[in-house]
Amino acid sequence: MRRATAWVVFAVSATAGASAVPVVGQDTIPPIEGGVRLGITYTPGMRPGMLVLGGPRTAVLDSVRTILRRDLDFSDQFEIITLPEGDGLMIGMGPVAPPDVQARPSGVFVNYPLYAALGADYSVGVFTGPDSTRLQVRLYDVHGESERREFGLPVGDVADPEFRMVVHRVADGIVRAATGVPGVAATKVAFIQGKRLYVVDSDGANRAPVSPAGMSAFSPAWDPRGERIVFAELTRGLAKLHLLGLTDGTPRVVPPTNDLLNFAATFSPDGRLLAFSRSGEHGTDVYSYNLAQDCCLQRLTVGRFSDNLSPTFSPDGRRIAFVSTRVGPPQIYVMSVDGTGQELFAPFDYGVTGSSNAPEWSPDGTQIAFHRDVAGSPQIFLMDVRSREVRQLTSAGRNEDPTWAPDGRHLAFISSRTGSRQVWTIDTETGRVRQLSAFGGARLPAWSPHIPVQNQPSR
């Protein structure tokens, strides 16, 4: 087999590249006297340096490197090292290693001293495997001078959403191998644009409609396995809940009979129950429905001309947080899954902030995200479930409808900070925000769990 021999020699300032860049929050709110807004309290520190290496150039290899670099950056777990003027760094390949460079039996030589001088704690190489139909992705521990993990994936078309999802899953594996916590690259965000339900990859690629054309969709939510989405359809003064399987693309109505407004549904952690809002002439209440048995509608709140809506299950399935107007402006309450023990959950400060809406329990159960009016504009807040301490995350523009990534660290939300309603994400530990995509008029995002590779939405 013909081997390529490629060495890159250039001057590197070890002192300039040996340390990572401090992390600085981008949407931090200064404390406001008399209020509860605490902002993101993040102490600038150092994150591991990550270097995605160059190497043999093919369209597929370059695209995989680009996707991995972006995924690792968006994980907010690393400082991504970028070489001057975008130069790639080659791993030498040849029968003989140069001095002071460690050789693998495969003939790939790993220049750990150089990577360390650049400030890298980890490096990632992408190669064509011995079989030309496979790619190899290797994670190197620079300071340990060892290979931490190797991943294999089939060669594919980078325009194919299924192949891209395989690459995203490799990125998540790299994050887990380096930090012990999986990434969230192999996930999607559902949202409403116009009257149609769309999904988009976590990096903003592959936007695709999933609800039938002509259907007026809103309030989507994912099932715990990432295989189905429930959403509401508004038609002829009614709102029906549709359960949509992503593999077959055929929705069915749940509950099967409906003469009221059903909306804002959410799955229980085991996927057996739906909790949702139902509106009638006496107000809006939270109901549950047993999907596993396809029966057993249960009313959990009694509105008495108030509104009770936007339910969200705790990760253990024992409690439901929801919004209620029972004592005035909308605020966040909590109850047991059978409707007992209802009480005000998120404290609020009279005269400083206003209505609270759109709660969502974090995957680890320690926090609830929601939006709350501040000077007439909605902003994203977090509440610590144990202490019930509330802190504000955003301030620029209008920010609403937060939804958790499965890592319990990132949120997607709708923001008007650029002049139109778009999907943005925020890292709750550093305050780093990024725009997910450039589509305008977006509403009601829902972040998926990790998506099985075969469950791609039909177009």
Side-chain angles (χ1 to χ4, degrees), residues 303 305-308 324-333 344 348 350:
F305 302 100
S306 65
D307 291 323
N308 301 276
S324 181
T325 62
R326 60 190 61 186
V327 294
Q331 297 298 336
I332 297 173
Y333 287 72
L344 181 67
F348 59 100
Y350 291 98

Side-chain angles (χ1 to χ4, degrees), residues 30-98:
I32 296 180
E33 184 176 355
V36 297
R37 297 186 295 286
L38 305 178
I40 294 175
T41 55
Y42 180 80
T43 303
M46 311 302 288
R47 295 181 295 182
M50 175 66 73
L51 179 63
V52 177
L53 300 159
R57 300 293 302 273
T58 70
V60 172
L61 289 173
D62 286 349
S63 295
V64 169
R65 292 183 187 113
T66 298
I67 295 169
L68 291 177
R69 185 181 294 109
R70 185 166 55 233
D71 287 347
L72 295 172
D73 181 23
F74 290 169
S75 77
D76 292 304
Q77 298 277 10
F78 311 102
E79 292 297 334
I80 305 300
I81 296 171
T82 303
L83 298 180
E85 300 179 359
D87 289 339
L89 183 66
M90 302 283 285
I91 292 184
M93 293 187 295
V96 180

Side-chain angles (χ1 to χ4, degrees), residues 143-400:
H143 298 294
E145 297 194 353
S146 61
E147 183 178 304
R148 176 69 65 89
R149 184 79 187 274
E150 182 173 303
F151 305 86
L153 67 158
V155 173
D157 179 2
V158 294
D160 181 354
E162 212 166 306
F163 176 71
R164 291 178 60 89
M165 189 59 68
V166 173
V167 179
H168 291 323
R169 290 169 68 87
V170 170
D172 289 346
I174 291 171
V175 176
R176 181 190 285 274
T179 69
V181 179
V184 291
T187 61
K188 293 180 177 288
V189 176
F191 63 96
I192 304 298
Q193 185 179 25
K195 296 182 178 181
R196 201 163 185 189
L197 172 62
Y198 290 80
V199 297
V200 66
D201 288 358
S202 65
D203 63 354
N206 294 323
R207 182 174 68 114
V210 293
S211 63
M215 180 180 289
S216 182
F218 65 105
S219 65
W222 294 84
D223 84 329
R225 299 181 62 179
E227 297 174 339
R228 300 175 296 175
I229 297 178
V230 65
F231 65 94
E233 177 201 11
L234 184 63
T235 177
R236 296 188 298 273
L238 302 177
K240 301 178 181 180
L241 294 177
H242 291 268
L243 193 61
L244 176 69
L246 292 184
T247 52
D248 58 29
T250 303
R252 68 180 179 94
V253 176
V254 290
T257 58
N258 172 43
D259 56 358
L260 296 171
L261 292 167
N262 292 341
F263 60 99
T266 186
F267 289 89
S268 63
D270 61 7
R272 296 177 62 86
L273 296 178
L274 273 184
F276 60 94
S277 303
R278 168 172 280 196
S279 290
E281 61 181 7
H282 298 299
T284 303
D285 281 300
V286 176
Y287 285 74
S288 68
Y289 184 75
N290 192 315
L291 284 175
Q293 300 178 16
D294 205 15
C295 72
C296 314
L297 186 67
Q298 182 181 2
R299 184 178 181 178
L300 303 180
T301 64
V302 179
R304 296 192 178 92
F305 302 100
S306 65
D307 291 323
N308 301 276
L309 62 160
S310 300
T312 174
F313 282 93
S314 63
D316 62 9
R318 296 180 178 179
R319 292 190 290 175
I320 295 175
F322 63 101
V323 171
S324 181
T325 62
R326 60 190 61 186
V327 294
Q331 297 298 336
I332 297 173
Y333 287 72
V334 70
M335 61 182 168
S336 297
V337 72
D338 63 358
T340 61
Q342 299 181 21
E343 62 173 324
L344 181 67
F345 201 24
F348 59 100
D349 45 350
Y350 291 98
V352 180
T353 58
S355 301
S356 298
N357 286 283
E360 186 167 301
W361 223 300
S362 67
D364 63 4
T366 63
Q367 300 181 92
I368 286 180
F370 60 98
H371 72 248
R372 171 176 284 179
D373 287 348
V374 179
S377 180
Q379 301 297 339
I380 307 300
F381 282 74
L382 290 183
M383 186 193 78
D384 182 274
V385 170
R386 176 171 293 183
S387 68
R388 302 200 182 183
E389 183 179 81
V390 176
R391 60 191 176 113
Q392 184 177 341
L393 296 186
T394 62
S395 61
R398 297 173 61 88
N399 304 279
E400 55 195 321

